[in-house]
Amino acid sequence: MPLLVMKFGGTSVADLDRIANAAEKVKREVDRGYDVIVIVSAMSGKTNELVGWVEQTSPLFDAREYDAVVSSGENVTAGLMALRLQEMDVPARSWQGWQVPLQTTSAHSSARIEDIPRANLDRKFAEGMKVAVVAGFQGVSPEGRITTLGRGGSDTTAVAFAAAFEAERCDIYTDVDGVYTTDPRIEDKARKLEKIAFEEMLELASLGAKVLQTRSVELAMRYKVRLRVLSSFEDNDDNAGTLVCAEEDIVESNVVAGVAYSRDEAKMTLISVADRPGIAAAIFGPLSEAGVNVDMIVQNISEEGRTDMTFSCPVDQVARAERAMNGARDKGEIQFSELVADTDVAKVSVVGIGMRSHAGVAARMFAALSQEGINIKVITTSEIKISVLIDRKYMELAVQALHDTFELDKAA
Ligand code: ASP
Ligand code: MG
């Protein structure tokens, strides 16, 4: 029997009406001859509420109990979805992570999936179950404790099931109708993409296009799971939404696929550090130990054996970064004259696999920004991405200018 994975996010199961609406979509696929594994999120807002309850009860909480509480939102929606399907005469039952079992590492609140043995679900499918409704976001550790996969983790649950059960496709139903060239709230000419390559989606996901958890895209890329992002509030035809797929499956694409942004960045500069072997390790080691997510790094040309080191990180990690750097200085591991934090910056990036074979993307990008009078503070590039840090107040303007310059409103 061909098999589909269908994942419904929090807004798609936010109340009983929406669960019924999602169940209709599942039934349609069953009627077309598919066995279906449905992955559900908690009702929207529920997980936040549960996290709040844990924090209020125990500020330095036991991570195992955090997972026990926070995973429970998905148990409710899984059971309700199974009941709804049964009401529609679809043979369905719910599965919590441990029942499958979805086996994970013991890293509570950010566990990784180790294995999904197929036997239990396969047996039930063979006995006539048509739909397995699985609680997303949760699993079980080798110690037998409940784990969760990190916020947004039910996307990753869905892709992992699609890989393990060799699903024809993994459909991610959400509150938007696909992946856009940029955020339509910033640029009204933003266009929905028909297809996007895994690598592009990975860059866009990690750059803050919040449609999919980054881990889920990594997993899809590794196991070549065809992922489709589509709206649960529309009647979809077979070509609805955006297909996230291998590069080979995309015939024509623009050089730049999309413009991404991340609003809450900070730029930190260590002034006058010694330019000696080991200095980068001495700086970024303590930062990583302190849990600072360093993104861009630039080291200036050295003068008389001293140099400036600049890095960016999320703005809410500035205090942590300062503490780490001052601590390293107190221990004599590094020296610097000053640590300057610029907390009013944003990152804007253009992403596209076409950049590998087309020169001049950077030049066009910088020209467009200069035409708007936007000063670039830091630049980094990779094979398929160019990112700049700019003053936050110009972020929207920069996104619009780049969308225009690369004519992203037009399909290739
Ligand atoms: N309910 C979890 C969260 O809100 C997991 C998910 O929805 O993907 O993060
Ligand atoms: Mg999500």
Side-chain angles (χ1 to χ4, degrees):
M1 201 69 88
L3 184 135
L4 273 187
V5 170
M6 302 173 75
K7 183 252 168 178
F8 293 93
T11 51
S12 306
V13 292
D15 56 37
L16 297 184
D17 284 341
R18 291 195 180 169
I19 290 175
N21 168 68
E24 292 286 349
K25 293 192 184 302
V26 176
K27 181 173 172 3
R28 206 163 308 150
E29 302 295 357
V30 171
D31 290 344
R32 292 166 79 181
Y34 287 105
D35 282 347
V36 182
I37 298 176
V38 173
I39 310 294
V40 287
S41 288
M43 292 180 178
S44 60
K46 193 67 208 174
T47 310
N48 287 341
E49 183 183 38
L50 296 170
V51 170
W53 289 349
V54 170
E55 286 170 347
Q56 280 173 47
T57 306
S58 172
L60 294 172
F61 50 79
D62 174 345
R64 293 165 298 192
E65 300 306 343
Y66 168 98
D67 278 351
V69 174
V70 167
S71 62
S72 65
E74 274 73 6
N75 298 345
V76 175
T77 46
L80 290 172
M81 174 70 83
L83 286 171
R84 184 70 238 166
L85 286 162
Q86 290 173 3
E87 287 298 318
M88 298 157 72
D89 291 327
V90 178
R93 69 157 272 192
S94 68
W95 300 78
Q96 295 182 7
W98 65 273
Q99 294 174 305
V100 172
L102 186 143
Q103 297 168 348
T104 72
T105 61
S106 313
H108 284 277
S109 83
S110 56
R112 293 197 156 230
I113 299 171
E114 299 268 53
D115 196 16
I116 307 180
R118 288 177 52 153
N120 287 340
L121 258 64
D122 277 346
R123 183 163 12 91
K124 289 291 173 191
F125 277 125
E127 289 171 8
M129 173 181 72
K130 296 304 295 176
V131 181
V133 186
V134 179
F137 177 52
Q138 52 172 262
V140 59
S141 74
E143 295 77 30
R145 302 295 302 256
I146 305 299
T147 55
T148 62
L149 307 178
R151 299 305 305 272
S154 50
D155 293 334
T156 302
T157 308
V159 173
F161 271 89
F165 287 83
E166 297 163 271
E168 194 172 295
R169 218 176 44 242
C170 179
D171 285 344
I172 306 279
Y173 285 87
T174 176
D175 50 4
V176 294
D177 61 352
V179 179
Y180 277 71
T181 49
T182 195
D183 186 341
R185 288 170 299 186
I186 291 185
E187 168 60 74
D188 54 18
K189 283 182 282 178
R191 181 175 53 86
K192 183 166 74 71
L193 293 159
E194 237 169 77
K195 290 182 177 181
I196 185 167
F198 289 128
E199 280 171 289
E200 293 170 333
M201 191 62 229
L202 204 50
E203 293 289 0
L204 294 174
S206 59
L207 289 169
K210 295 191 182 67
V211 224
L212 291 171
Q213 197 196 32
T214 308
R215 276 281 298 141
S216 73
V217 186
E218 282 169 10
L219 212 59
M221 182 157 110
R222 172 132 45 98
Y223 293 102
K224 294 238 187 301
V225 171
R226 288 159 72 83
L227 261 182
R228 189 161 67 133
V229 177
L230 70 177
S231 164
S232 60
F233 305 129
E234 285 172 21
D235 275 329
N236 300 297
D237 60 24
D238 283 347
N239 298 314
T242 300
L243 189 71
V244 189
C245 58
E247 226 175 301
E248 305 87 77
D249 294 337
I250 302 178
V251 184
E252 277 196 281
S253 66
N254 287 321
V255 178
V256 170
V259 181
Y261 65 86
S262 154
R263 191 185 299 271
D264 299 313
E265 298 286 317
K267 169 172 158 276
M268 314 273 294
T269 304
L270 287 157
I271 312 269
S272 190
V273 294
D275 190 8
R276 58 165 173 84
I279 187 65
I283 292 171
F284 294 104
L287 286 171
S288 119
E289 275 160 37
V292 177
N293 295 311
V294 172
D295 179 29
M296 307 163 116
I297 299 175
V298 178
Q299 182 179 342
N300 287 11
I301 289 178
S302 88
E303 263 178 66
E304 289 158 14
R306 304 203 73 79
T307 184
D308 301 337
M309 188 80 84
T310 297
F311 61 89
S312 70
C313 66
V315 77
D316 59 4
Q317 295 180 359
V318 165
R320 222 186 282 176
E322 283 172 341
R323 206 176 322 129
M325 290 296 88
N326 290 328
R329 176 161 69 178
D330 293 345
K331 282 193 244 160
E333 291 163 3
I334 55 173
Q335 293 147 8
F336 54 89
S337 65
E338 221 185 320
L339 175 55
V340 185
D342 179 351
T343 52
D344 289 316
V345 294
K347 180 172 67 173
V348 175
S349 311
V350 298
V351 173
I353 45 176
M355 281 184 214
R356 290 201 199 109
S357 46
H358 284 79
V361 175
R364 278 169 74 189
M365 177 177 188
F366 302 153
L369 295 173
S370 106
Q371 226 152 41
E372 300 293 341
I374 300 171
N375 187 35
I376 301 172
K377 301 188 159 193
V378 179
I379 303 169
T380 57
T381 65
S382 78
E383 215 187 2
I384 66 161
K385 177 181 76 176
I386 306 167
S387 301
V388 295
L389 277 191
I390 59 174
D391 278 331
R392 186 171 303 133
K393 64 182 177 211
Y394 296 127
M395 193 193 79
E396 278 86 358
L397 181 61
V399 169
Q400 290 157 359
L402 295 172
H403 201 272
D404 266 352
T405 292
F406 293 104
E407 301 186 343
L408 299 187
D409 53 327
K410 300 191 191 84

